[in-house]
Amino acid sequence: MKKTMEKVSLLSLSLMLVSTFSPSTALPQMITHFKSQGVSASQVESLFSISSFAILGMLVLTPWLSKVLSERLTVICGLVLIAFGGSMPLVWQSYPLMLVSRILLGVGIGFINARAINIISENYQGQERVRLLGLRGSFEVLGNAILTALVGFLIAFGWSKAFVIYLFALPILVLYLAFAPRHSVKKSEDSEHPKARFTAKDLLYIIGLALLAGFVINVNSANSLRIPVLVDSLKLGTASQASLALSAMMLMGIVAGVCFGPLMSGLKKYLTPLALIFFAGSLLLIAKAPNLLLLTAGAMLSGFLYSLVVTSAFTLVSEKMAAPLIGTATTIVLFFCNLGGASAAIVLKLFKYLNPNPSAAFLYYALISVVIGVIYLLTQLVTSRKTFKKA
């Protein structure tokens, strides 16, 4: 029982790691509220992205902070900041304080972002480690989906009540303090692997994967911001129904995780480009959906395909890079992933200049996705043909 609770306490750290966009179904109400303060809709949308920039900053500082703060203190600080910073709008609803709130939330998530992964790697070995790391990813998706669905219920009592979800960091803190191991066992890779360095080809490959992962995360984050606005502006449903659509989209990440292995085995290097092409189709469905049912179907399909592309990117990093370089390579991809989420509101604002229609952004994203997917697919076909000729 004690070992089970230890694992639960460590896995629970991931429940709030991707919660920055969870309250986004409150956007229409927030836009109306802040309009009276002279704050534009784009500025309100940016409140959700600013947390990602704070996470980025903490990701850069992590190597230095780990030398000053212990693992336990880092996690405690992170969870306290998530609870306090994230829930500030319950008390204060002015735009400047909302900005502070979202920054504190991002800093808190940044404190535990990398630790949630490393703490499992340091305390478990073999198949148990692999299983727990897989479960950790599912906990991320599950946490975001549950919190988003909860927001759909809470906003009936006012948009500020949506931010009560961040107080769930406190029970997670109690679990961590009660059951998490106090000492982690680090295993030095330096003694097991010869020193290795990135070649120019390695760096180009990693940056390519990082940009790809960052792009689909940017689109997924934009979906979280724009779908509630689309549902509201087109009168397709209520804010609560939009919240359920987003929750369904997020839960498809768990399905994608289960299907990833068989799909990768069957499609191999064609999985990513094909996923991108079908991803474009899901975005077109969202843009042109005449009702909430079809919009939800498009959102769910996009959630499934987005997860496949991101998982594929991290898998390819672990397969192609030498063991001592995997950690650094993963950090680079993770950095671009957070950058993609952070820039979602900025990209949406740029698209708005091109076309103010709320559905236009999905069309632009679909066009970019299909172009990348087709180019990627043609590249893989040409490579396969050359390999076949040499054989």
Side-chain angles (χ1 to χ4, degrees):
M1 183 65 179
K2 184 179 179 183
K3 291 298 291 184
T4 300
M5 290 307 297
E6 177 184 295
K7 293 171 186 176
V8 170
S9 70
L10 298 183
L11 289 169
S12 67
L13 295 178
S14 296
L15 284 172
M16 306 194 78
L17 289 186
V18 289
S19 63
T20 53
F21 290 92
S22 292
S24 62
T25 44
L27 255 177
Q29 293 182 29
M30 291 173 66
I31 289 170
T32 302
H33 171 81
F34 285 112
K35 189 176 181 181
S36 62
Q37 298 181 19
V39 180
S40 69
S42 297
Q43 286 175 300
V44 178
E45 285 184 344
S46 69
L47 287 171
F48 293 90
S49 294
I50 196 68
S51 299
S52 297
F53 282 110
I55 295 170
L56 273 177
M58 293 305 297
L59 190 62
V60 173
L61 294 173
T62 292
W64 290 276
L65 287 173
S66 62
K67 296 177 182 178
V68 179
L69 300 176
S70 68
E71 177 184 276
R72 197 170 183 83
L73 185 57
T74 299
V75 172
I76 292 170
C77 288
L79 290 170
V80 169
L81 284 171
I82 291 172
F84 173 72
S87 63
M88 276 177 61
L90 283 168
V91 182
W92 300 288
Q93 290 92 41
S94 70
Y95 187 81
L97 286 175
M98 279 287 295
L99 201 61
V100 172
S101 165
R102 301 302 292 178
I103 292 171
L104 289 177
L105 172 67
V107 171
I109 293 175
F111 263 117
I112 60 176
N113 204 2
R115 295 311 310 157
I117 300 172
N118 295 340
I119 199 170
I120 292 173
S121 298
E122 292 169 0
N123 286 281
Y124 301 94
Q125 304 296 325
Q127 285 302 310
E128 188 174 27
R129 177 198 286 175
V130 173
R131 185 175 64 84
L132 287 174
L133 287 174
L135 283 172
R136 193 209 66 79
S138 295
F139 265 60
E140 271 192 5
V141 176
L142 184 62
N144 195 17
I146 291 172
L147 293 176
T148 302
L150 186 58
V151 166
F153 168 75
L154 291 169
I155 56 176
F157 304 97
W159 67 265
S160 64
K161 303 301 186 293
F163 294 86
V164 77
I165 60 172
Y166 292 110
L167 291 177
F168 279 98
L170 296 178
I172 295 172
L173 175 60
V174 172
L175 265 178
Y176 178 79
L177 291 174
F179 299 105
R182 289 186 173 272
H183 302 287
S184 60
V185 181
K186 292 188 177 181
K187 197 172 182 180
S188 175
E189 291 186 345
D190 294 338
S191 59
E192 297 179 3
H193 300 282
K195 288 186 178 180
R197 293 186 180 184
F198 290 112
T199 64
K201 187 177 180 181
D202 287 338
L203 285 173
L204 283 173
Y205 186 77
I206 293 165
I207 291 171
L209 289 174
L211 288 171
L212 183 61
F215 166 70
V216 293
I217 285 177
N218 180 276
V219 179
N220 191 65
S221 300
N223 285 351
S224 296
L225 290 172
R226 191 46 56 89
I227 285 176
V229 176
L230 192 64
V231 170
D232 180 69
S233 63
L234 298 180
K235 309 300 181 185
L236 297 179
T238 65
S240 296
Q241 289 171 323
S243 179
L244 290 174
L246 289 181
S247 295
M249 179 183 79
M250 294 162 192
L251 284 171
M252 290 305 291
I254 297 175
V255 180
V258 174
C259 297
F260 178 76
L263 286 172
M264 180 60 91
S265 297
L267 297 172
K268 296 181 173 61
K269 61 183 180 180
Y270 299 113
L271 173 61
T272 303
L274 288 174
L276 282 167
I277 292 169
F278 283 103
F279 186 53
S282 71
L283 296 173
L284 285 174
L285 182 56
I286 294 171
K288 298 297 183 180
N291 53 56
L292 185 65
L293 183 63
L294 281 177
L295 184 143
T296 302
M300 291 173 69
L301 184 58
S302 75
F304 177 80
L305 294 163
Y306 135 82
S307 295
L308 286 182
V309 176
V310 173
T311 306
S312 180
F314 281 104
T315 301
L316 289 170
V317 165
S318 64
E319 288 180 351
K320 301 293 184 181
M321 295 297 110
L325 301 178
I326 291 174
T328 305
T330 301
T331 300
I332 293 171
V333 178
L334 187 60
F335 180 87
F336 277 87
C337 287
N338 281 281
L339 184 61
S343 59
I346 298 170
V347 175
L348 285 174
K349 188 175 181 180
L350 292 175
F351 286 156
K352 193 175 181 180
Y353 286 128
L354 297 174
N355 190 330
N357 191 311
S359 65
F362 299 106
L363 298 175
Y364 293 133
Y365 276 130
L367 178 61
I368 296 169
S369 184
V370 76
V371 168
I372 295 172
V374 169
I375 293 172
Y376 196 155
L377 182 60
L378 290 174
T379 302
Q380 295 300 331
L381 288 170
V382 170
T383 304
S384 295
R385 190 175 178 182
K386 287 180 179 179
T387 305
F388 179 76
K389 282 183 175 181
K390 286 181 181 179

